[in-house]
Amino acid sequence: MLRGFAVLYARAVIDRSILQAPGLTDAERARRALAVELAEAALAAVEPERATRAALARLEARGVPLSGATVFAFGKASVGMARAALAACAPRGGIVVAPGPAALPPLEVRVGGHPTPAPDAIETGDRVLALARSLGPGDVALCLISGGGSSMLERPRDSIALETVQRITRALLAGGADSGALNTVRRALSAVKGGRLAAAIAPARVVNVILSDVPGAPLDVVASGPTLPSRGDDEDAAEILARHGLSLALPPTEPLALFTIGTTIESEVAADSETARAAVRAAAEARGLSLTDRPGRFDGEARALGVRLAREPTSAWVWGGETTVTLGDGPIGRGGRNQELALAAIAAGLDDGVLLALATDGVDGASQNAGGLADAAAARALAGRDLVSALERHDASPLLEAASAALQTGPTGTNVADLLIRV
């Protein structure tokens, strides 16, 4: 049985200095405050420890055995998810691959790299695989999976060097590859992704608790699906590499990992973009605001989407997804996809209401910011500045900070992709 426990959850908050910007009218300050409160409601709803506790309770209610499980946790939310498992089901041991150091006895914690694998990724991957292969038919592997796991948990296939994975990852990111394309290539190069970790765990039972960072996508794409059967896409991986001017001989695919794992696999979603968006809608309704959940997920170039949204009629909505940024050959500044989107919206003339762009993990690209917002106040603060040049250099952070329009939360310990909120 899961053990009852009480936890005080740390709530991610957005720095309120953006509400004290010089020159803000009362109406602009109120609109910014509303956008911030809605974004914080989303972050609270996807807090990983609380969301994982609820997911474990749902699994227990279905009769899934969890007491004494062996934990495998990896991704940006791995520490919070592991804490929930420790308090709820007394695991006998396991391993956590986390963004930073943490004390989670009896679980071993190793620090993974992001967005490229850490230098010791092979050692970490081998330890994870060795633990997986030590399990027997009566054991349960509790796999706590979250966004960022694709990079943090990596063990390249034997014919592939770690340096090759790192180089390919950097090149795809610089070329504007989206997460789907990037993870397709990662699966083709990896000994743990695409169901291969589940194959190593077999015949032990696999129980997945997933905090998804890919809105609307199948669960096997989160962290490149290490514990779910892959759809088999090595041919697609070759096409993606060719499209980005990259060449690599891909090793043949093992049928076991792709088509049959040989054990029972059960999965439960702890939180995802829909969880966050539902919280935004509920918080808006509590404030008397009718807010639309935009269908599908947003993607494409951040700058282009910012321009398009700036030119839309004003309305209130929330949207989940993730844009990309294609880097050129020139100097690269400080920023991220959400800040670039916000600055592009300002440059395109957004002058009514607020458009808030947030990375739910609290880290937007090469900056200390979690995203940015666009409104008339930010446009006034940046009047006369060369916004186009800053966008070409991917240098949105300094301008948004100067306009008191950069969002700061610090790392939130969760990740359900990005959110756009328009009010």
Short mmCIF file of all heavy atoms in Angstrom, two decimals, residues 18-49:
data_model
loop_
_atom_site.label_atom_id
_atom_site.label_comp_id
_atom_site.label_asym_id
_atom_site.label_seq_id
_atom_site.Cartn_x
_atom_site.Cartn_y
_atom_site.Cartn_z
N ILE A 18 8.75 42.70 -12.94
CA ILE A 18 8.15 43.09 -14.22
C ILE A 18 6.88 43.92 -14.01
O ILE A 18 6.41 44.57 -14.95
CB ILE A 18 7.84 41.88 -15.12
CG1 ILE A 18 6.81 40.95 -14.44
CG2 ILE A 18 9.09 41.12 -15.45
CD1 ILE A 18 6.32 39.86 -15.36
N LEU A 19 6.34 43.89 -12.79
CA LEU A 19 5.15 44.68 -12.50
C LEU A 19 5.51 46.08 -12.01
O LEU A 19 4.61 46.91 -11.78
CB LEU A 19 4.29 43.98 -11.44
CG LEU A 19 3.88 42.54 -11.74
CD1 LEU A 19 2.98 42.01 -10.64
CD2 LEU A 19 3.19 42.44 -13.09
N GLN A 20 6.80 46.35 -11.85
CA GLN A 20 7.25 47.65 -11.34
C GLN A 20 8.02 48.43 -12.40
O GLN A 20 8.75 49.36 -12.07
CB GLN A 20 8.14 47.44 -10.10
CG GLN A 20 7.53 46.58 -9.02
CD GLN A 20 6.18 47.10 -8.55
OE1 GLN A 20 5.98 48.31 -8.44
NE2 GLN A 20 5.23 46.20 -8.28
N ALA A 21 7.84 48.08 -13.65
CA ALA A 21 8.56 48.75 -14.73
C ALA A 21 8.18 50.23 -14.79
O ALA A 21 7.00 50.58 -14.63
CB ALA A 21 8.24 48.08 -16.07
N PRO A 22 9.14 51.10 -15.02
CA PRO A 22 8.82 52.54 -15.14
C PRO A 22 7.85 52.78 -16.29
O PRO A 22 7.96 52.16 -17.36
CB PRO A 22 10.18 53.17 -15.44
CG PRO A 22 11.19 52.19 -14.95
CD PRO A 22 10.58 50.84 -15.14
N GLY A 23 6.89 53.64 -16.06
CA GLY A 23 5.99 54.02 -17.13
C GLY A 23 4.78 53.14 -17.32
O GLY A 23 3.95 53.40 -18.21
N LEU A 24 4.64 52.10 -16.52
CA LEU A 24 3.46 51.23 -16.65
C LEU A 24 2.20 52.00 -16.21
O LEU A 24 2.19 52.64 -15.15
CB LEU A 24 3.59 49.99 -15.76
CG LEU A 24 4.36 48.78 -16.26
CD1 LEU A 24 4.35 47.70 -15.18
CD2 LEU A 24 3.77 48.23 -17.54
N THR A 25 1.16 51.92 -17.00
CA THR A 25 -0.12 52.44 -16.55
C THR A 25 -0.75 51.43 -15.59
O THR A 25 -0.34 50.26 -15.53
CB THR A 25 -1.08 52.67 -17.72
OG1 THR A 25 -1.44 51.40 -18.28
CG2 THR A 25 -0.44 53.54 -18.79
N ASP A 26 -1.74 51.86 -14.84
CA ASP A 26 -2.41 50.93 -13.93
C ASP A 26 -3.03 49.76 -14.69
O ASP A 26 -2.98 48.61 -14.24
CB ASP A 26 -3.49 51.67 -13.14
CG ASP A 26 -2.92 52.63 -12.11
OD1 ASP A 26 -1.71 52.50 -11.79
OD2 ASP A 26 -3.67 53.50 -11.64
N ALA A 27 -3.61 50.04 -15.86
CA ALA A 27 -4.22 48.99 -16.65
C ALA A 27 -3.18 48.00 -17.16
O ALA A 27 -3.41 46.78 -17.16
CB ALA A 27 -4.99 49.60 -17.83
N GLU A 28 -2.02 48.50 -17.58
CA GLU A 28 -0.96 47.62 -18.06
C GLU A 28 -0.41 46.78 -16.92
O GLU A 28 -0.12 45.58 -17.10
CB GLU A 28 0.15 48.45 -18.70
CG GLU A 28 -0.25 49.05 -20.04
CD GLU A 28 0.73 50.10 -20.53
OE1 GLU A 28 1.53 50.62 -19.70
OE2 GLU A 28 0.71 50.40 -21.73
N ARG A 29 -0.25 47.37 -15.76
CA ARG A 29 0.24 46.61 -14.59
C ARG A 29 -0.74 45.51 -14.22
O ARG A 29 -0.35 44.37 -13.93
CB ARG A 29 0.48 47.55 -13.41
CG ARG A 29 1.05 46.83 -12.17
CD ARG A 29 1.37 47.81 -11.06
NE ARG A 29 2.50 48.66 -11.41
CZ ARG A 29 2.41 49.94 -11.76
NH1 ARG A 29 1.22 50.53 -11.82
NH2 ARG A 29 3.49 50.63 -12.06
N ALA A 30 -2.02 45.82 -14.25
CA ALA A 30 -3.05 44.83 -13.92
C ALA A 30 -3.05 43.70 -14.94
O ALA A 30 -3.19 42.53 -14.57
CB ALA A 30 -4.42 45.49 -13.86
N ARG A 31 -2.87 44.04 -16.22
CA ARG A 31 -2.86 42.99 -17.26
C ARG A 31 -1.63 42.11 -17.12
O ARG A 31 -1.71 40.89 -17.26
CB ARG A 31 -2.91 43.66 -18.62
CG ARG A 31 -3.19 42.69 -19.79
CD ARG A 31 -4.61 42.13 -19.72
NE ARG A 31 -5.60 43.16 -19.90
CZ ARG A 31 -6.17 43.47 -21.07
NH1 ARG A 31 -5.82 42.83 -22.17
NH2 ARG A 31 -7.09 44.41 -21.13
N ARG A 32 -0.48 42.71 -16.85
CA ARG A 32 0.73 41.90 -16.61
C ARG A 32 0.54 40.99 -15.39
O ARG A 32 0.93 39.82 -15.41
CB ARG A 32 1.95 42.80 -16.40
CG ARG A 32 2.53 43.40 -17.66
CD ARG A 32 3.88 44.05 -17.38
NE ARG A 32 4.50 44.54 -18.61
CZ ARG A 32 5.77 44.93 -18.72
NH1 ARG A 32 6.56 44.87 -17.65
NH2 ARG A 32 6.26 45.34 -19.87
N ALA A 33 -0.02 41.53 -14.32
CA ALA A 33 -0.22 40.74 -13.10
C ALA A 33 -1.14 39.55 -13.38
O ALA A 33 -0.91 38.44 -12.88
CB ALA A 33 -0.80 41.61 -11.99
N LEU A 34 -2.16 39.76 -14.19
CA LEU A 34 -3.07 38.66 -14.54
C LEU A 34 -2.33 37.58 -15.30
O LEU A 34 -2.45 36.38 -14.99
CB LEU A 34 -4.23 39.20 -15.37
CG LEU A 34 -5.18 38.15 -15.97
CD1 LEU A 34 -5.85 37.34 -14.87
CD2 LEU A 34 -6.21 38.82 -16.87
N ALA A 35 -1.53 37.98 -16.29
CA ALA A 35 -0.79 36.99 -17.07
C ALA A 35 0.17 36.19 -16.20
O ALA A 35 0.30 34.97 -16.32
CB ALA A 35 -0.03 37.69 -18.20
N VAL A 36 0.84 36.88 -15.27
CA VAL A 36 1.77 36.21 -14.36
C VAL A 36 1.04 35.23 -13.46
O VAL A 36 1.49 34.09 -13.25
CB VAL A 36 2.53 37.27 -13.54
CG1 VAL A 36 3.24 36.63 -12.34
CG2 VAL A 36 3.54 38.00 -14.41
N GLU A 37 -0.08 35.63 -12.92
CA GLU A 37 -0.85 34.74 -12.03
C GLU A 37 -1.33 33.50 -12.77
O GLU A 37 -1.32 32.39 -12.21
CB GLU A 37 -2.03 35.51 -11.43
CG GLU A 37 -1.61 36.56 -10.42
CD GLU A 37 -2.74 37.51 -10.07
OE1 GLU A 37 -3.88 37.29 -10.56
OE2 GLU A 37 -2.50 38.47 -9.31
N LEU A 38 -1.75 33.66 -14.01
CA LEU A 38 -2.19 32.50 -14.79
C LEU A 38 -1.02 31.56 -15.07
O LEU A 38 -1.16 30.33 -15.00
CB LEU A 38 -2.83 32.97 -16.10
CG LEU A 38 -4.09 33.83 -15.98
CD1 LEU A 38 -4.64 34.16 -17.36
CD2 LEU A 38 -5.16 33.13 -15.14
N ALA A 39 0.14 32.13 -15.38
CA ALA A 39 1.31 31.29 -15.63
C ALA A 39 1.72 30.54 -14.38
O ALA A 39 2.09 29.35 -14.43
CB ALA A 39 2.47 32.15 -16.14
N GLU A 40 1.64 31.19 -13.23
CA GLU A 40 2.00 30.51 -11.98
C GLU A 40 1.01 29.42 -11.63
O GLU A 40 1.39 28.39 -11.05
CB GLU A 40 2.10 31.54 -10.85
CG GLU A 40 3.31 32.45 -10.98
CD GLU A 40 3.38 33.48 -9.88
OE1 GLU A 40 2.35 33.74 -9.22
OE2 GLU A 40 4.48 34.04 -9.68
N ALA A 41 -0.25 29.59 -11.99
CA ALA A 41 -1.23 28.52 -11.78
C ALA A 41 -0.85 27.29 -12.59
O ALA A 41 -0.99 26.14 -12.12
CB ALA A 41 -2.63 29.00 -12.16
N ALA A 42 -0.36 27.51 -13.80
CA ALA A 42 0.09 26.38 -14.63
C ALA A 42 1.27 25.67 -13.99
O ALA A 42 1.30 24.43 -13.91
CB ALA A 42 0.47 26.89 -16.02
N LEU A 43 2.25 26.42 -13.51
CA LEU A 43 3.43 25.81 -12.90
C LEU A 43 3.07 25.02 -11.64
O LEU A 43 3.62 23.95 -11.39
CB LEU A 43 4.47 26.88 -12.58
CG LEU A 43 5.10 27.58 -13.79
CD1 LEU A 43 6.03 28.70 -13.33
CD2 LEU A 43 5.85 26.58 -14.67
N ALA A 44 2.14 25.56 -10.85
CA ALA A 44 1.73 24.85 -9.64
C ALA A 44 1.05 23.53 -9.99
O ALA A 44 1.22 22.52 -9.28
CB ALA A 44 0.78 25.73 -8.82
N ALA A 45 0.29 23.51 -11.07
CA ALA A 45 -0.44 22.30 -11.44
C ALA A 45 0.47 21.18 -11.92
O ALA A 45 0.09 20.00 -11.84
CB ALA A 45 -1.46 22.63 -12.54
N VAL A 46 1.67 21.52 -12.40
CA VAL A 46 2.57 20.49 -12.92
C VAL A 46 3.78 20.30 -12.02
O VAL A 46 4.81 19.78 -12.46
CB VAL A 46 2.99 20.80 -14.37
CG1 VAL A 46 1.78 20.80 -15.29
CG2 VAL A 46 3.72 22.15 -14.48
N GLU A 47 3.66 20.72 -10.75
CA GLU A 47 4.73 20.47 -9.78
C GLU A 47 4.93 18.96 -9.70
O GLU A 47 4.00 18.20 -9.44
CB GLU A 47 4.32 21.05 -8.43
CG GLU A 47 5.45 21.14 -7.42
CD GLU A 47 5.78 19.81 -6.78
OE1 GLU A 47 4.83 19.06 -6.50
OE2 GLU A 47 6.97 19.54 -6.57
N PRO A 48 6.14 18.46 -9.95
CA PRO A 48 6.31 17.02 -10.19
C PRO A 48 6.06 16.12 -8.99
O PRO A 48 5.55 15.01 -9.14
CB PRO A 48 7.76 16.91 -10.66
CG PRO A 48 8.43 18.13 -10.15
CD PRO A 48 7.39 19.21 -10.15
N GLU A 49 6.40 16.57 -7.77
CA GLU A 49 6.22 15.69 -6.62
C GLU A 49 4.73 15.44 -6.38
O GLU A 49 4.29 14.30 -6.18
CB GLU A 49 6.88 16.31 -5.39
CG GLU A 49 6.95 15.36 -4.21
CD GLU A 49 7.83 15.89 -3.10
OE1 GLU A 49 8.61 16.83 -3.33
OE2 GLU A 49 7.74 15.35 -1.98
#
